[in-house]
Structures are given as C-alpha cells and as structure tokens.
Amino acid sequence: MRRSLQKAFICIGLSCVQALSWAQAPNTVQLEDLTWTELRGELAAGKTTIIVPIGGTEQSGPYVALGKHNARVQWLATRIARGLGNALVAPVVAYVPEGGYAPQTAHMRFPGTITVPDDVFEKTLESAANSFEVHGFKNVVFLGDHGGYQNDLKQVAARLTKAWAGKGARAFVPPEYYEASSDGYARMLREKGYRDDEIGTHAGLADTALLLAVAPQMVRLDALRAAPKPGAADGVYGGDPRRATAELGRPGIDAIVARTIDAIRKDTAAR
C-alpha cells in the first residue's frame, strides 16, 4: 500500500512538472519557435512589435558563404528584439531581387545567387505584414540587410501604413539600420586608418568583418588569408577583405544594434 501511494505521488508530481513546462513559453524572440497559444500570450503581454529580417541569397566572393545577409540580419534582428523587450522576430526573408536571369545580370552572374522580381518580393512582404496585423501586431518593422531593395521596402511600408489607417498599426523601415551597416561602418573604419579601396562596397573588408563578428563559420578565413587580392571578377567590389577580423567587426555590430533600437523606440513612442 505504501509503495502504491509513493508511486501515485511521484506520478502526480511528474504530471505537475510537465504541465508547468507546457504552460511556460520558451525564452525566445523567434516567432517560429512559439506555438500559436504562446504567441497569443506574448501579444496579450504587450509584444506587439514584429521585426521582419530581410537578407538575400547572393554571392559574396570566393571566401564568404552565400547566406551572408541571412545570417547577419537574423543575428542582428534577434539582438535588437531582445534589446527592445517588446518585440518578436519573424522568419528571415531569403529570396530577394538580385538581378536578372535572362540574361544574367548583377549577382546572378555567379552560381548560387537566387533572384525574384521586385513585384513578387513586395507582394510577399505585404502579405506577411497583413498576416501580422490581423493577428494583433501594431508595429511591423522591416530590416533590410541588402542595399539593392531598400526602395522596395519603403514603398511597401508606405502602402501598408496607408491601408492600415485607422487600425492603429503601422509598417516602417528605420533608415538607421542600413546606414549604420554601410556608410556608418565605413566611417568607423576610415577613422581607424583603413582606406576606401580596402573597405569596399561588396564583400570587401567591411562586409567580411561584420560577418566574422556574428557568424565566423561562414568565412573561409584560412583560404582568404592566403589568397591574392580578389577583384570584381571574383565578386568582390572595390575592396580587400584579407585584413578583416571579428574584433574589427564587433564595434560596427554594436553600433547597428544600438542605433536601430534607439530609432525604433523613438518612432513607436512618437505614435
């Protein structure tokens, strides 16, 4: 009899622990890691800002993996959401305009790059944003890690905000995110003594250092260090990535996060 009671108490205790573990949402800001009921609870608790990270699948020279933008924007969006405290992160949009395929133009001249037409890209973002709005999100924030589609993002945000007039929801693109990762970071590197022909505009020192700071496994560092200076024929534009390091990239990453958090807070507070 005593053993039977002990077993019963153990079973009850285990059931309580399991019930508690099921009831508690995981410590995550990733939308896709939540169940729908957990998300409902997060919305009710005030997490009504959703960050849509937009990357791109494109060549970045022989020494940087094709998913550079996707990995970088995922990492940055996560840190920004945690810094805001009231935000979640949508799945990364990895299919973006990258040039034509008939004929092959821009990055599409290199194997592995994936492109979609601008109108398809914009419709995808609008549909995702409308999904978020009907479920209760009030601020849809587009973070674009690639320079080629920044105008698309602005147009989508403007159309959505107009369509949502009177609903208390808004879509926007904080310009501080891309500025801090491009011109802003380039200025930081110049102050450290690096030249423009080393910093580059695509897959150069700046691009590679930022990636090393968040996803070093995506850079073929040993091969890069031993390589001659890559050029446009290799997919590296106006720069030289060979002196890039994670240490060099971290201040840039910190600046992107801080400036974007500040911009989103100001924008949402003003409303």
Side-chain angles (χ1 to χ4, degrees), residues 1-257:
M1 183 69 176
R2 185 176 294 174
R3 287 185 179 179
S4 297
L5 286 172
Q6 287 176 336
K7 287 182 179 179
F9 285 131
I10 290 170
C11 289
I12 292 170
L14 288 173
S15 297
C16 290
V17 170
Q18 288 174 339
L20 284 171
S21 66
W22 291 333
Q24 294 173 347
N27 181 22
T28 182
V29 294
Q30 304 303 321
L31 178 80
E32 56 191 340
D33 289 342
L34 298 168
T35 69
W36 77 265
T37 52
E38 289 166 348
L39 176 59
R40 181 180 60 188
E42 297 282 13
L43 286 163
K47 288 192 175 181
T48 54
T49 293
I50 184 80
I51 296 173
V52 183
I54 305 156
T57 308
E58 65 174 23
Q59 74 81 25
S60 285
Y63 311 107
V64 172
L66 294 158
K68 171 195 73 182
H69 283 301
N70 302 325
R72 194 162 69 195
V73 76
Q74 171 75 53
W75 194 97
L76 287 162
T78 299
R79 191 168 153 192
I80 290 165
R82 289 201 177 277
L84 288 168
N86 66 341
L88 296 173
V89 180
V92 173
V93 179
Y95 300 95
V96 307
E98 294 281 7
Y101 45 76
Q104 291 167 259
T105 60
H107 294 307
M108 282 300 296
R109 294 176 294 116
F110 299 85
T113 303
I114 302 171
T115 194
V116 298
D118 289 87
D119 62 333
V120 173
F121 174 63
E122 292 184 15
K123 280 293 183 185
T124 299
L125 296 180
E126 286 185 35
S127 296
N130 279 313
S131 301
F132 299 135
E133 189 275 329
V134 299
H135 292 308
F137 286 100
K138 299 303 181 184
N139 303 301
V140 178
V141 184
F142 294 118
L143 293 187
D145 208 64
H146 187 308
Y149 49 64
Q150 294 297 316
N151 284 334
D152 296 271
L153 302 187
K154 294 173 186 176
Q155 291 173 19
V156 168
R159 287 197 295 269
L160 287 167
T161 297
K162 183 178 180 180
W164 294 344
K167 293 185 176 182
R170 184 187 169 206
F172 58 100
V173 184
E176 290 82 359
Y177 177 86
Y178 187 69
E179 197 283 331
S181 64
S182 54
D183 292 342
Y185 183 49
R187 287 193 297 271
M188 293 175 66
L189 291 174
R190 290 188 198 103
E191 290 170 2
K192 292 178 179 292
Y194 293 95
R195 306 180 310 275
D196 284 349
D197 63 353
E198 191 171 18
I199 295 168
T201 57
H202 175 77
L205 178 75
D207 232 358
T208 306
L210 290 175
L211 185 61
L212 281 169
V214 301
Q217 75 281 2
M218 301 189 77
V219 181
R220 311 299 183 250
L221 204 53
D222 290 341
L224 175 61
R225 295 283 187 257
K229 180 180 179 181
D234 305 300
V236 177
Y237 303 143
D240 185 350
R242 291 178 297 175
R243 287 206 290 162
T245 64
E247 291 74 20
L248 191 61
R250 287 188 191 112
I253 292 296
D254 291 341
I256 297 167
V257 171

